[in-house]
DNA sequence: CCCACTTTCTTAAGATACTTCATTAAGTAT
DNA sequence: ATACTTAATGAAGTATCTTAAGAAAGTGGG
């Protein structure tokens, strides 16, 4: 446990003030003192330090409250930059972000079908180098990496990356050695969750869950602004939550996992079954030319195809049931939905919400907020940026 | 957020030292300094204060490590006492506990079929008074109350107590007014969880879940020694986790809740169904004289009745599936099982463990510990004691 | 336009509680 | 006995918050 010392006290107060500025900018010294219960002189000296470190800036004067005008303080968002990396299925996305989560520039590397560890690490180095060279005047404070599969975040090693068919890639140590800056690696669903917390003002929620539904289903859990990993690093694996003990077999070996009912492939699968049973749908005409996919089902729904609409509706019900379980176990204040399925928008969201309200057992729980992610294609990249930011804004242990 | 101040620093360090003594007694000042990274003089002055407050005692000298013998410090377990109350179905249990969780004395009040709020509060007052009078020399620091149903812990109000058919009982304010001491009220499953954490040395687990399976099924979640409530106070309601979307209807209105498969009544129900289908069992002979209950099924299993054994085995599988979901969402380091079903011991436990190992998706997760509660009939009472203790041992906000 | 009053921010002195360093206390080992 | 360990404490030093006072910069009424 962290012991109390002078440095710790200082670091704690500094972090409190910095975060207050971040979340409430522009704000005056006096206002900070009121809201944090720190005394004005304490705020003064710490603000002075933050100004010297260029982490914040003094902006123009604010409105008078009946006396001297306050000098407002703002975060120096463009004073430092962070490189965020999202390792996707076929591409690696690299972004440069400022402290506010604004993307300044981006680039990409293509993932070949077969890559070795060395190939992969070289791709990471290349992408980062390209961005750094384009912006050599900027000061970078760290690199965040969002990686699919199983990641051991403390060591920054990708334990197992199914899509790359690679194991034990030492991402953190490699990048730290090459670029000599702070590197954080995390599972993409978890990084995504942290990103939502940081850049969507969701950080105020004591407990939030971000669910990523695409080819697979994963969730990241953020408590008090920090990622919750669980004891064995699998907290949030709701794709393998059993909701139908007599259901279909899942790749994990169990039956009736959420993933067998509501992932992208599962949607296509259900459509196929319904068509085989003789269901009427325009999808039947399309699949001669295209492969049956979740996107196709969505496309059909947009043309008011009843079978497609029902499939999406049912998908929402399944997700809703899983989220109800989540609420009954974890009880977060907000649930954010992202990933491919979220593009199907209202067709699915409506039934998710209805299901949740219908099934949760108390009135209060029915008020749990559910929204769709607003970060778009930068979701996981900005999440990896947030990995670095969350460290910057936290008190440093001493 | 808590700001750093001198008092906070002191309070924090005091709490660190007190907890170190509690968990590692007997321990010397020097050893505390080493393990907490506090300096010897700091430890010295704080220990002096704790001695003056009578919270700890100096015991005999320890073994020499090659120099002067250390004076060992121990918790003054019998210096202060706490009253714990467990409101059960038909009885209210009152216990006096010392700081180590040892029960010094106990008493009971019987709950009539119909009680008013006033009756109920009077019963609480009576029980506490009886214990206090028997031990008027002891110094009491608080009263903890474990209450079934929905409890709002901040205000200490029982929002809804289904068994008493009462709503909005102001337990905390009533007891605080009468006895002028600190009162904490919490849901019984949650209190039980905290009790396990405190008195079974489980406090070291960063994250633990205690599941109470009896007439209903509830769980309490303890993170870093503190109860996790969730945003709307329903975290841990795993009784209403859906694991079979096509299953039986539950009292909550949904289908396939764990409670419809694995609670005491559900066990009896399943036995009844199997008998009606023509299953062979000695239970069939018994139910002419006795009502069919989970206890009866257990009794039959003890006589090697195959149908009963199968029912209990299946119950374990259902619980195992729910716990697997819990592991995939929450990923605690230990799960503790208590309540009536835990009395069925090995018949159920074996299949719970097997199911969990079979279904969890990573090797690490398969190592999640599962044990049966050791607190026996004092489970919830001692949990309510822990409500008060956890406050005593925590730094006080300033 | 001056003066009293606010509000903001800073400076200076004071208080608190940790740290460092030195010392005493009480052992063990040769 | 002497030298070396380890344990505990005392005294001085120091970092950092707090209190109190004051300077800076505004508002508004007469």
């Amino acid at each position: 446990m962290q012991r109390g010392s002078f440095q710790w006290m200082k670091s704690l107060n500094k972090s409190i003030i910095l975060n207050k500025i971040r979340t409430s900018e522009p704000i005056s010294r006096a206002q900070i003192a009121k809201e944090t219960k720190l005394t004005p002189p304490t705020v003064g000296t710490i603000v002075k330090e933050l100004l010297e470190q260029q982490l914040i800036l003094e902006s123009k004067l604010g409105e008078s409250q009946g006396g001297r005008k306050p000098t407002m303080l703002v975060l120096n968002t463009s004073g430092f930059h962070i490189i965020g990396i999202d390792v996707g299925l076929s591409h690696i996305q690299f972004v440069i972000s400022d402290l506010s989560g604004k993307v300044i520039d981006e680039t990409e590397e293509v993932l070949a079908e077969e890559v070795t560890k060395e190939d992969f690490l070289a791709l990471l180095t290349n992408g980062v180098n390209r961005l750094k060279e384009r912006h050599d005047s900027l000061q970078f404070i760290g690199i965040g990496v969002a990686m699919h599969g199983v990641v051991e975040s403390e060591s920054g090693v990708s334990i197992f990356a199914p899509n790359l068919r690679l194991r034990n890639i030492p991402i953190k140590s490699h990048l730290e050695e090459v670029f000599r800056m702070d590197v954080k690696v995390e599972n993409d669903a978890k990084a995504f969750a942290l990103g939502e917390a940081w850049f969507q003002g969701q950080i105020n929620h004591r407990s939030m869950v971000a669910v990523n539904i695409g080819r697979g289903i994963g969730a990241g859990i953020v408590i008090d602004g920090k990622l919750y990993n669980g004891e064995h690093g699998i907290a949030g694996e709701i794709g393998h939550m059993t909701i139908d003990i007599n259901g279909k077999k899942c790749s994990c070996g169990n039956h009736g996992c959420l993933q067998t009912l509501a992932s992208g492939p599962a949607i296509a699968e259900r459509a196929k079954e319904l068509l085989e049973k003789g269901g009427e749908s325009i999808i039947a005409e399309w699949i001669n030319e295209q492969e049956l996919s979740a996107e196709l089902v969505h496309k059909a729904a947009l043309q008011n195809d009843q079978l497609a609409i029902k499939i999406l509706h049912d998908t929402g019900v399944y997700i809703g049931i899983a989220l109800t379980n989540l609420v009954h176990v974890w009880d977060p204040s907000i649930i954010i939905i992202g990933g491919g399925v979220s593009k199907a928008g209202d067709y699915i969201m409506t039934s998710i919400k209805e299901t949740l309200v219908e099934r949760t057992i108390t009135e209060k729980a029915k008020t749990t907020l559910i929204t769709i992610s607003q970060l778009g294609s930068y979701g996981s990249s900005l999440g990896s940026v947030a990995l670095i930011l969350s460290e910057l804004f936290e008190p440093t242990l001493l």
Side-chain angles (χ1 to χ4, degrees), chain A residues 73-214:
Chain A
L73 303 166
V74 293
L75 202 62
N76 184 9
T77 46
S78 57
F80 300 90
H81 291 79
I82 293 152
I83 294 175
I85 303 177
D86 176 22
V87 181
L89 299 180
S90 56
H91 294 75
I92 309 176
Q93 185 183 56
F94 301 77
V95 307
I96 294 182
S97 159
D98 69 10
L99 295 188
S100 71
K102 196 172 81 185
V103 174
I104 305 295
D105 193 4
E106 62 178 307
T107 185
E108 231 179 47
E109 291 283 344
V110 177
L111 275 168
E113 276 291 310
E114 291 276 335
V115 284
T116 64
K117 276 189 209 180
E118 290 69 29
D119 293 343
F120 175 70
L121 290 174
L123 287 177
L124 292 185
T125 314
N126 284 349
V128 173
N129 265 328
R130 195 172 323 131
L131 284 183
K132 277 191 71 183
E133 280 162 18
R134 284 196 216 155
H135 305 269
D136 60 348
S137 63
L138 296 183
Q139 195 172 348
F140 294 100
I141 54 173
I143 303 174
V145 183
M147 181 83 194
H148 64 268
V150 185
V151 173
E152 193 179 85
S153 44
E154 305 85 55
S155 61
V157 173
S158 163
I159 302 292
F160 178 44
N163 282 66
L164 304 177
R165 283 182 292 277
L166 293 176
R167 286 175 190 273
N168 301 315
I169 320 172
I171 300 177
K172 180 182 164 85
S173 58
H174 172 77
L175 290 177
E176 273 181 344
E177 195 173 318
V178 175
F179 296 106
R180 301 279 160 199
M181 57 174 94
D182 193 22
V183 176
K184 291 265 161 193
V185 187
E186 191 51 270
N187 168 273
D188 54 355
K190 289 183 182 165
F192 165 70
L194 193 65
E196 285 286 339
W198 272 83
F199 301 123
Q200 297 299 311
Q202 311 295 17
I203 201 88
N204 301 322
H205 292 277
R206 271 211 313 260
S207 164
M208 60 153 279
V209 173
V211 185
N212 203 318
I213 308 175

Side-chain angles (χ1 to χ4, degrees), chain A residues 206-209 221 223 323-335 360 362 364-369:
Chain A
R206 271 211 313 260
S207 164
M208 60 153 279
V209 173
I221 297 157
I223 294 192
L323 294 185
T324 305
N325 283 352
L326 193 72
V327 167
H328 286 165
V329 171
W330 197 284
D331 190 16
S333 52
I334 184 167
I335 297 174
T360 42
T362 70
K364 269 192 182 173
K366 290 185 199 300
T367 65
T368 306
L369 299 170

Side-chain angles (χ1 to χ4, degrees), chain A residues 329-384:
Chain A
V329 171
W330 197 284
D331 190 16
S333 52
I334 184 167
I335 297 174
I336 293 169
I337 296 174
V341 168
S342 67
K343 291 180 195 142
D346 285 347
Y347 291 109
I348 291 183
M349 281 300 285
T350 309
S351 58
I352 290 179
K353 286 184 182 170
E354 281 173 6
T355 306
L356 203 73
V357 168
E358 187 191 319
R359 298 184 75 102
T360 42
I361 55 172
T362 70
E363 287 305 313
K364 269 192 182 173
K366 290 185 199 300
T367 65
T368 306
L369 299 170
I370 303 190
T371 62
I372 284 192
S373 163
Q374 301 299 322
L375 293 180
S377 57
Y378 293 129
S380 293
S381 296
L382 284 179
S384 62

